[in-house]
Amino acid sequence: MRKSKKKFRALPAVSTTSLPDIVFILLFFFMTVTVIKDTNLLVENTLPNATEAVELKSSNGIIELRIGKPLQKYQGEVGMEPQIQLEGKFIRVDELQGYVLGMLNKMAEHNRRKATVSLKVDKTVGMGIVADIKAKLRAISLLKINYATLDGEVLANL
Amino acid sequence: MPINNQVPEVNAGSMADIAFLLLIFFLVTTTLETDEGLNRLLPPDQDIPEIVVHERNVFRVQLNDANQLLVEGEVLELADLKHRTTAFLDNGGIIKGAADYCDYCKGDRASDSSDNPHKAIIYLEHTRATSYGTYIAVQNELVAAYNGLRNRESLNAFGEGYVAMEQRFYDEKTTPTEKEILKKQIKQIQGLFPQKIIESNANENNNPHEKI
């Protein structure tokens, strides 16, 4: 009894020498999983809310279109009307098909079949431009689309 | 004079602190962005033969320039849309004993609403000035109505919600044999309440069909 009590008193301090290593491993993990988006936004892009959204599988085979009113600093060049942004530049509706087909060509064969166009549309934009884009995509038989949304109550969209 | 030839050791005590600072920086800046949204399949770009549909089987949802909602000719709040859509889809109005009688429908069986879920068509109309936010809100409510009904049937038949089954189907951890079973079950439930949403384009006269 007495012996064990003595032992407790002499409890050695926990060694923290391996702490930096642990932290470094964590650090490397976060460094590798972090995806730094290289395209910056040229348009206003507040996505609408939805409750029934499903997760978009794999990031391969996704063509991302951002639609919204140009930011203040670009309004001098392109005006106030909603514009389409594809990979860091503005494109017009009539140029869309060419660009999208070009991107489709660069894709790996197995991704091409399940290619999805992700429409990231600002919630204040009118449906006119969205309808035009859908018509253009239909014409080139790119029929899978996804309306990107955020999780949340839909009444906030109004 | 004694000369100290030994190189002094660098104190590594602050290493942990530095690493922690970096770690916290990456933790804060990382946005694990998972893309999510409403999946739709556009109709192929070809002439669609005209089909004759009874007015009672069509559920008209209209949105105007001012983002107001008109459902079956009356102004409706968005909050009531899901309920109304569910009632329409689940109506099963055809008389008992008919060939396509809907025995799983739990609706009012009103004669002025849809015959059965297979014939029920939702017709969504919007203008060029309708805001995208409102459009998505309406789409979401329509999908919610379908999902609600599919969940009900799925729970009845397999004891698992439809949405949960879909999630499991797309999960990478699910084995191929499980997927095979799930696919069959999902197809069966989808068959009970097929999603038929027709969208009319504001600047076109033809009716492109859009369904999942």
Side-chain angles (χ1 to χ4, degrees):
Chain A
M1 194 69 186
R2 189 177 283 168
K3 213 178 177 185
S4 68
K5 232 183 184 175
K6 221 177 184 178
K7 249 187 186 168
F8 269 112
R9 227 176 277 153
L11 194 73
V14 177
S15 166
T16 56
T17 45
S18 56
L19 193 62
D21 304 319
I22 297 165
V23 174
F24 263 116
I25 288 170
L26 270 172
L27 177 63
F28 287 139
F29 168 73
F30 275 99
M31 279 174 76
T32 45
V33 297
T34 306
V35 189
I36 297 166
K37 290 251 166 178
D38 48 352
T39 54
N40 43 350
L41 278 174
L42 306 178
V43 294
E44 284 175 23
N45 212 243
T46 319
L47 298 179
N49 288 346
T51 53
E52 307 297 317
V54 285
E55 217 173 285
L56 208 53
K57 304 304 153 213
S58 78
S59 53
N60 300 324
I62 287 174
I63 300 168
E64 200 180 87
L65 294 178
R66 289 182 184 271
I67 297 122
K69 220 171 85 174
L71 294 179
Q72 197 81 49
K73 52 188 166 182
Y74 303 107
Q75 283 181 1
E77 306 166 39
V78 289
M80 299 273 284
E81 285 302 302
Q83 295 287 329
I84 308 167
Q85 180 194 345
L86 179 75
E87 288 187 334
K89 59 173 183 281
F90 288 116
I91 57 168
R92 292 197 311 273
V93 174
D94 52 336
E95 295 171 325
L96 179 72
Q97 292 176 331
Y99 277 112
V100 169
L101 286 176
M103 288 184 74
L104 213 55
N105 253 329
K106 274 186 268 167
M107 254 178 220
E109 188 81 44
H110 62 278
N111 282 334
R112 248 177 253 172
R113 253 183 303 140
K114 53 178 183 183
T116 308
V117 179
S118 173
L119 295 174
K120 299 197 165 173
V121 189
D122 189 275
K123 62 183 179 184
T124 58
V125 166
M127 276 306 289
I129 189 167
V130 182
D132 292 343
I133 289 167
K134 286 202 292 190
K136 292 282 180 207
L137 292 177
R138 275 180 69 202
I140 55 172
S141 291
L142 208 61
L143 304 177
K144 273 189 197 152
I145 58 168
N146 176 281
Y147 300 115
T149 57
L150 301 173
D151 239 349
E153 273 307 309
V154 287
L155 288 172
N157 293 351
L158 307 182
Chain B
M1 201 164 103
I3 296 165
N4 190 358
N5 271 339
Q6 270 175 330
V7 181
E9 224 174 88
V10 177
N11 185 7
S14 55
M15 184 86 96
D17 304 323
I18 296 165
F20 258 122
L21 276 177
L22 275 169
L23 176 65
I24 289 163
F25 168 73
F26 275 98
L27 265 172
V28 171
T29 53
T30 306
T31 44
L32 287 171
E33 211 175 273
T34 46
D35 276 339
E36 56 171 28
L38 302 169
N39 279 321
R40 304 269 92 184
L41 195 60
L42 294 174
D45 193 19
Q46 51 193 230
D47 289 330
I48 302 148
E50 260 183 43
I51 38 166
V52 182
V53 185
H54 277 299
E55 184 60 44
R56 63 169 180 271
N57 284 327
V58 180
F59 188 68
R60 287 178 190 276
V61 181
Q62 289 161 302
L63 283 162
N64 70 1
D65 290 357
N67 297 329
Q68 285 161 323
L69 187 63
L70 194 74
V71 175
E72 296 280 68
E74 45 183 294
V75 181
L76 199 73
E77 289 298 316
L78 184 73
D80 304 324
L81 180 63
K82 183 183 169 187
H83 178 72
R84 278 291 297 270
T85 313
T86 308
F88 166 76
L89 293 172
D90 202 24
N91 181 55
I94 204 160
I95 44 165
K96 205 166 184 167
D100 39 10
Y101 176 73
C102 171
D103 50 3
Y104 53 87
C105 290
K106 294 188 173 67
D108 299 333
R109 310 213 176 260
S111 57
D112 59 348
S113 191
S114 75
D115 284 343
N116 63 39
H118 297 268
K119 288 193 176 160
I121 292 170
I122 294 173
Y123 183 73
L124 178 57
E125 241 179 322
H126 61 80
T127 67
R128 289 188 71 85
T130 304
S131 91
Y132 179 74
T134 314
Y135 170 79
I136 286 297
V138 168
Q139 283 267 10
N140 184 67
E141 293 307 288
L142 297 180
V143 174
Y146 275 110
N147 278 350
L149 289 168
R150 284 174 173 182
N151 263 339
R152 189 189 76 193
E153 289 310 315
S154 176
L155 279 171
N156 262 348
F158 312 114
E160 189 182 6
Y162 173 79
V163 179
M165 278 202 317
E166 253 189 349
Q167 256 168 18
R168 218 148 61 81
F169 180 74
Y170 287 117
D171 196 351
E172 276 159 25
K173 275 174 267 170
T174 313
T175 58
T177 41
E178 272 181 289
K179 273 194 180 175
E180 219 33 60
I181 301 167
L182 278 172
K183 195 175 176 181
K184 238 202 262 165
Q185 294 180 343
I186 289 171
K187 279 260 144 52
Q188 187 186 332
I189 299 297
Q190 281 179 346
L192 294 178
F193 285 102
Q195 217 172 66
K196 291 182 178 172
I197 301 175
I198 297 182
E199 261 187 77
S200 150
N201 205 335
N203 43 353
E204 278 178 37
N205 284 326
N206 58 350
N207 304 336
H209 297 246
E210 228 178 79
K211 61 184 222 179
I212 221 161

